[in-house]
């Protein structure tokens, strides 16, 4: 039986002082009484302050991105070793805001994101994290155009096969996949729960094809995209959804608290 996991992705929000205030309130509300594993992914500069406050709690610290090289002339980048040193145990890779869709920089800005992550760099980052004992949260998901063209499943299968190439199931056992339909992120449009569950089930079947059923059954598969207190229980009760990757609602302690308690 997989334990539910709720991860807050703060994106580019929170100064260190704001982060400390948010975590202090949240920790008071959430130290006991729920059944989920919980992690918070602040921006890089707030990682230390958040980790210091979370150290004595079961809540874990995550990061939102990583660079795959160990060290060197990579201006602006942060390595998996640096994240491990700062106490990070989860790290998001391949979020739609950091993927350059199809690896092409000339794709319009609204679909590209500014970081031009490709399936190849997602794969390199995932391997770098595993080498350092950090659990990757590998994000996959289709755009609205891909959904309307009935390409949802193939887009996601391709992202999984490329993102996980050369990684074996035992190595990824504590890794996480997040299904994040691009059209549902930050838009208030949630994928309806049966469909979100169907896609998460399809992801598990794909993992079983890549590895085997045992390995696939160990991986937690989250749903992300406009998760909030009001819809979390319904989403998390679906058989194939093991928790949530939460953006906007994770910035509000009361709301994130409701989501964590919805994960039974
Ligand atoms: P959202 O973001 O909850 O604000 O839609 C989710 C995410 O981007 O991980």
């Amino acid at each position: 039986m997989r334990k539910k996991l709720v991860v807050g992705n703060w994106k580019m929000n929170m100064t260190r002082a704001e982060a400390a205030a948010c975590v202090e309130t949240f920790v008071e509300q959430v130290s006991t009484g729920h059944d989920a594993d919980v992690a918070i992914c602040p921006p890089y500069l707030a990682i230390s302050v958040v980790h210091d406050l979370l150290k004595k709690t079961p809540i874990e610290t995550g990061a939102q991105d990583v660079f795959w090289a160990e060290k060197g002339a990579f201006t602006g980048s942060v390595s998996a070793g640096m994240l491990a040193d700062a106490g990070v145990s989860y790290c998001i890779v391949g979020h739609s805001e950091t993927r350059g869709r199809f690896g092409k920089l000339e794709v319009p800005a609204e679909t590209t994101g500014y970081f031009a992550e490709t399936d190849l760099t997602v794969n390199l980052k995932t391997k770098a994290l595993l080498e350092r004992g950090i659990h990757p949260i590998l994000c996959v998901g289709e755009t609205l155009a891909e959904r309307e063209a009935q390409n949802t499943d193939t887009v996601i299968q391709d992202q999984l096969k490329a993102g996980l190439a050369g990684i074996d199931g035992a190595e990824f056992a504590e890794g996480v996949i997040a299904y994040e339909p691009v059209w549902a992120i930050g838009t208030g449009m949630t994928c309806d729960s049966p469909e979100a569950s169907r896609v998460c089930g399809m992801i598990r079947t794909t993992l079983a094809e890549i590895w085997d059923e045992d390995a696939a059954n160990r991986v937690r598969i989250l749903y992300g995209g406009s998760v909030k207190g009001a819809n979390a229980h319904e989403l998390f009760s679906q058989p194939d959804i093991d928790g949530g990757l939460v953006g906007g609602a994770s910035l509000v302690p009361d709301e994130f608290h409701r989501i964590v308690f919805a994960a039974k």
Side-chain angles (χ1 to χ4, degrees), residues 7-11 92 95-97 139 178-189 223-228 244-251 259:
V7 180
N9 173 13
W10 283 0
K11 309 191 178 183
I92 296 167
H95 191 281
S96 63
E97 287 155 15
C139 300
Y179 168 50
E180 297 216 311
V182 181
W183 49 271
I185 295 175
T187 58
M189 284 163 65
Y223 168 78
S226 299
V227 176
K228 31 188 186 284
L245 179 55
V246 186
S250 70
L251 299 169
I259 295 170

